[in-house]
Amino acid sequence: MDPVYEPLSKSDKSEKAEAFTSYRPVRQTSSNLSSHLAPPVPAPRRSRRSRVFLHWLSHSLSLLWILPIAILLWLNFSKHVIGASAWCPRGNCNAEGNSENAIERANKLDSHDHNVTGALQFVAKALEVWFFFVATSLVYDMGIMFAKRGRGLPVGYLLTHLEFGDIRYLVNPLLWTSPLPRKQGVPEKRARIIKLYLFACITAMLTILANLMGPSTAVLVLPTLQWVDTAHIMEETFNQTAAGRRPSGDKLFPGCSAKELRAGNYSCTADTYGPSLDEWAAHNTASTKQLRKQRYSDLILGASQEAALAFTINGTMSDTVWVPSRQVLRDMSHEFLKLRGALMNVDEPEYPDRQFNNSLQTILQRQGPSLGMYLGSYKGNVSDYGLSDGRWVRCFTGWTVDHFELDPDSQVQYTKCFRLGQGAEDREVYAQFKLGNFNDTEDENSAQSGVGVFVANQAAIYNEEEDFGSGLIDCLITNNPDGDGKACDWDKVFATEWPEYLRNVTINVGVTSYSVPGENYTNARVWCEHVIYQSFPTYSVDTSPRSNMQNLVKLNNLPAVPKDTIPLRMNPAWLLAAWSVDYDGELDGERQIVKELSRVLPVAYEDGLGTLEGLEFILLHYYALGQALSMVNHDIYAPPTDPTSPSAQQADQDQAHPIFRTYATIHVWAYGLSGRTSKLGVAVVVLGTVCVLARFLIGLSTGVQERSTVEVLAAAFEHRHQGEFDGLEEENHLAKVRYQVVEDGEGKQKFIPEKRTSRWSNALSH
């Protein structure tokens, strides 16, 4: 068989000719034309000017990718707010949530949202494809950069820029084995292997980036519905609560003067707050009747109004129940009406329409204090032990650790004692009143008649088997023949170190006792105890009359009370103000609260607090105590004028004297980095930006001009085999063969085996 090419004779060879080829064409005959292919066709070449133009165009397009990415990062880091719709040209997309055509308007905005978010998906895809173009160019540039230096680039890496986009390329063995020597024992510089593995690792990273770029740009391109806070306005700084002192001042309660409050005439609150408590009592009866009569029913708690807002009390009685402050609600009502006026398109200069009308929902928020109660209710008998210094100890039976004596047969009961006495300011504050037509005791000043309210700084607990080391078993049971308790060392008793689970119910405990009417119930009591805590939650109210018709306020960010927290001491006068009754006064028997108590109290004592009447009684006292906590005011002082000043920052760290702020939370379409996926998206596009810059720098430093696939294939077809693949059959061995990629004088690409690299370089120099 006649070959198309035959080896050159040694005499025909020159150093330069040998560098280019070891073969020459022979004369073609008719016989060999029919059995052999024609000589190779030169590869197509672009003009030098065209190649330079395409080179810089490619780099310019790569750099331009950074521009939309920078815009997206700015939108997300600045938390840019769009408005009530994802399509909000010039910031004008009024939701008109309070208008008559609110539903029609909402449907229109929803249609805009669907169209815009769909279009932005295409934008995200375009950015992904754009980056893939950049990443492909970067892999190619790096491959050519490695191929021009040293011993060249392994065959397994020559087409990496066409393969790396497939995620399966990460598990391609050729990616990780091509840098190794072809034969064992063949010396290879470690630096060369490390450089090739560096290329492999960068390629693998680009594979991951290219496959993550689509979802990452989508996360940053697409806005989401978010709750966004407006600017926080510092209103006041908390000083202290007034719970420990009597109500005072001309402006505390509408209709009450400072003189009346100093005299203890708290019936002055009846005109404003008497109906509130009676309304709770009536609602309590209505809800429990529904619970009794209806098959599928539940207990619903009532609400109370303060100025323009309403509030209710948390009904979970096993935990601390937090009550909103009426003082905060009065201050908040002013802001609420102004904001609602802005939403109703009323001219309010302090609240520009655009900011709030361009939202789907607006929540007014204000920080402030709140008092919480830990409540327990029991039934039992009362005993008094007089002391020599005019004080006395009052003890109640029926106390249980579970705080609610619902099943006496299954609960261990104790007797709980409190030390009282007029003039002992650090040990008690006591008040009492009668319920009209409720108690017929002749002695109107008797502490056992009507309702008695007191607070004691310490309490003691015991039963016949356990007194927790206080000595009460010995002095009140074993050695108390006269029943006067004189054998007790009460100072020692009340100084007892109680177990941890009892500490919070033995310090600053408030007690309200209700005497049971009837000759046979002289010492019978249904009694309740409470301990008070303070927190600083966020008050929030939905400003839309459509979704919040009652203007109901909610408390957010309520804390769990730590076990070592010492309860607050609350003056019982606040309970008198809540009931709207004077010291040693008598509550009008026509009041709804009195009627309901008269109905349920005897049944609760006889049949137990586990009955429905017992539940009604617990809730009636629950509402009365909640009314008292809501009426407690607090002292304030002006906050720092500059919120960025060191004094303001220091004040923010003072947990005992927090700064209260007012702000609105609007529901809008906006950008942001609230989720983990958004942060991952930022990391991916930032790495993508680094890759774009790296590609630009490599292009500047090396001047690599990308070749088309046709040019690469033509250069490969032109290459004459020189034995570098002899004896190699396995794919992983073929992939390790290295070639240096160079250009001849005409700018034509050539593949030079690693053994002939030096001679090719000499040929180019000539």
Side-chain angles (χ1 to χ4, degrees), residues 1 20 185 187 338 426 473 489 535 554 556 700 711 743 754-755:
M1 180 178 65
F20 275 95
K338 289 195 300 182
D426 61 331
I473 293 178
D489 183 352
S535 68
K554 299 179 181 179
N556 299 323
L700 287 179
E711 290 179 293
E743 294 180 358
E754 57 181 331
K755 292 182 179 180

Side-chain angles (χ1 to χ4, degrees), residues 8 11 13 25 108 122 165 169 178 197 199 244 285 305 329 389 397 436 480 483 502 517 529 579-580 752:
L8 292 171
S11 61
K13 293 180 182 179
K108 185 177 180 180
F122 288 98
Y169 188 64
S178 295
Y197 269 115
F199 174 77
T285 301
Q305 182 177 349
L329 297 183
D389 56 359
T397 62
N480 191 25
L502 294 178
E529 68 171 356
W579 288 87
S580 301
I752 307 301

